[in-house]
Amino acid sequence: MFVPVIAFYVIFKYAPMAGVIVAFKSYNFADGIFGSPWVGLKHFRLLFSNPNSLLIIRNTLILSLLNIIVGFPFPIMLAIMLNEVRKLWFKKTVQTLIFLPHFLSWVIVGGIVVTIFSQESGVINHWIRQWTGNTFPFLYNETSWLVIFVGSGIWKEAGFSAIVYLAALSSIDTSLYEAASIDGAGKWKQLWHVTLPGIAPTIVLMLILSMGKVMEVGFDQVYTLQNSVVSGVAEVISTYIYTIGLQKGQFSLTSAMGLFESVVGFILVVSANAVARKFNRGIW
């Protein structure tokens, strides 16, 4: 039964790793991956000497860190609030509503965002125009675009991510809450001394996995929401690889960028796990 899982990872995850050699070659279709001339670290030197590349790396880091710092606590808070709901019908209704956005593609979510925040026809600007006579360029202002980017990501994924924490909450021994209540602990103290320690291993695990994606901002979300006006904060590694690598055919250059992204992610995961081990919370 485990053979299909192994086959999937071997075929789609491990075998393609041989392609990283493209980052060290001047790749062309005629010579192929292994026949193309070797250029060593030429593409890496080109990347780190190009101001645009450094800007793209900076944007990727900023967007990823914003997603982690602002977005990471939301599923935890959502799971804790749902866990406190006692009306089963209400709990299931809310769960369904907050899980649903996960199953919408970013094309649909991007359309919803534009419908809401568009300067000319957006719902919010329609109200602002009625009150003030002016409109605000939400999608063409860098600060408001960042807020919309992070907010749309939370709206889409927080509900589904909360499933992991709900499962962790269900494994906490209820007698701990009873003992805390007998000792005079209110809801907040029970949350701090029972709930959070009970799900701490899951939180640490999810945080370590999130650190591995610091250099990986989802292509779909950025591509559907970005525009040329906010490219100073919206151009990231994934869209750079699509534009330069696929549309302009500079496969070696973008392979070098992709390899750099993967190495940084690997270092961050190992470092985060090393820190977690100091508190006996490491994955390995």
Side-chain angles (χ1 to χ4, degrees):
M1 291 179 66
F2 199 60
V3 169
V5 178
I6 296 174
F8 170 81
Y9 279 95
V10 169
I11 295 172
F12 296 106
K13 300 295 183 180
Y14 291 103
M17 285 183 182
V20 300
I21 197 174
V22 172
F24 304 94
K25 293 193 167 193
S26 180
Y27 175 75
N28 61 81
F29 284 110
D31 296 325
I33 294 177
F34 298 103
S36 297
W38 185 272
V39 295
L41 299 176
K42 173 186 174 182
H43 299 298
F44 292 95
R45 286 193 292 267
L46 182 60
L47 277 177
F48 295 113
S49 63
N50 186 346
N52 288 335
S53 299
L54 298 177
L55 176 66
I56 289 165
I57 294 171
R58 187 208 69 177
N59 291 345
T60 305
L61 281 170
I62 290 174
L63 293 181
S64 295
L65 290 174
L66 281 174
N67 280 332
I68 292 175
I69 294 170
V70 180
F72 185 79
F74 267 83
I76 302 171
M77 294 187 292
L78 196 57
I80 291 172
M81 288 189 290
L82 283 174
N83 193 56
E84 293 296 323
V85 176
R86 295 293 173 258
K87 295 289 185 180
L88 189 60
W89 66 269
F90 181 76
K91 182 177 181 178
K92 288 190 173 183
T93 302
V94 173
Q95 281 182 321
T96 301
L97 291 174
I98 62 177
F99 294 166
L100 187 61
H102 171 77
F103 300 100
L104 301 177
S105 71
W106 271 111
V107 175
I108 296 173
V109 174
I112 294 172
V113 169
V114 171
T115 301
I116 295 173
F117 294 103
S118 172
Q119 186 172 1
E120 297 299 326
S121 57
V123 175
I124 293 180
N125 267 315
H126 174 71
W127 294 336
I128 293 175
R129 186 184 294 110
Q130 287 184 331
W131 295 335
T132 66
N134 299 312
T135 58
F136 185 82
F138 290 102
L139 297 174
Y140 303 100
N141 177 278
E142 292 186 351
T143 303
S144 59
W145 188 90
L146 287 172
V147 174
I148 291 170
F149 174 85
V150 175
S152 62
I154 292 172
W155 177 75
K156 187 176 186 299
E157 300 296 342
F160 189 80
S161 300
I163 294 174
V164 178
Y165 299 107
L166 281 170
L169 286 167
S170 66
S171 66
I172 299 176
D173 189 351
T174 54
S175 64
L176 295 174
Y177 290 103
E178 294 171 2
S181 179
I182 292 172
D183 289 339
K187 282 294 182 183
W188 284 109
K189 287 192 175 181
Q190 289 178 30
L191 170 65
W192 187 255
H193 295 288
V194 180
T195 303
L196 290 179
I199 63 174
T202 304
I203 294 174
V204 172
L205 171 64
M206 298 301 289
L207 182 59
I208 291 173
L209 295 177
S210 297
M211 293 303 294
K213 298 180 180 179
V214 163
M215 295 297 291
E216 178 186 336
V217 180
F219 170 80
D220 294 345
Q221 182 183 7
V222 178
Y223 190 74
T224 54
L225 295 179
Q226 72 175 188
N227 56 74
S228 58
V229 179
V230 295
S231 60
V233 296
E235 191 69 36
V236 296
I237 290 176
S238 57
T239 55
Y240 175 81
I241 290 174
Y242 171 73
T243 304
I244 304 299
L246 294 180
Q247 293 187 333
K248 298 186 178 180
Q250 297 186 37
F251 301 108
S252 295
L253 184 63
T254 50
S255 295
M257 178 69 88
L259 181 57
F260 167 74
E261 175 187 353
S262 300
V263 170
V264 171
F266 173 76
I267 292 172
L268 288 172
V269 167
V270 172
S271 302
N273 186 71
V275 173
R277 287 182 62 185
K278 299 292 184 182
F279 302 93
N280 298 318
R281 301 291 188 184
I283 299 178
W284 69 87

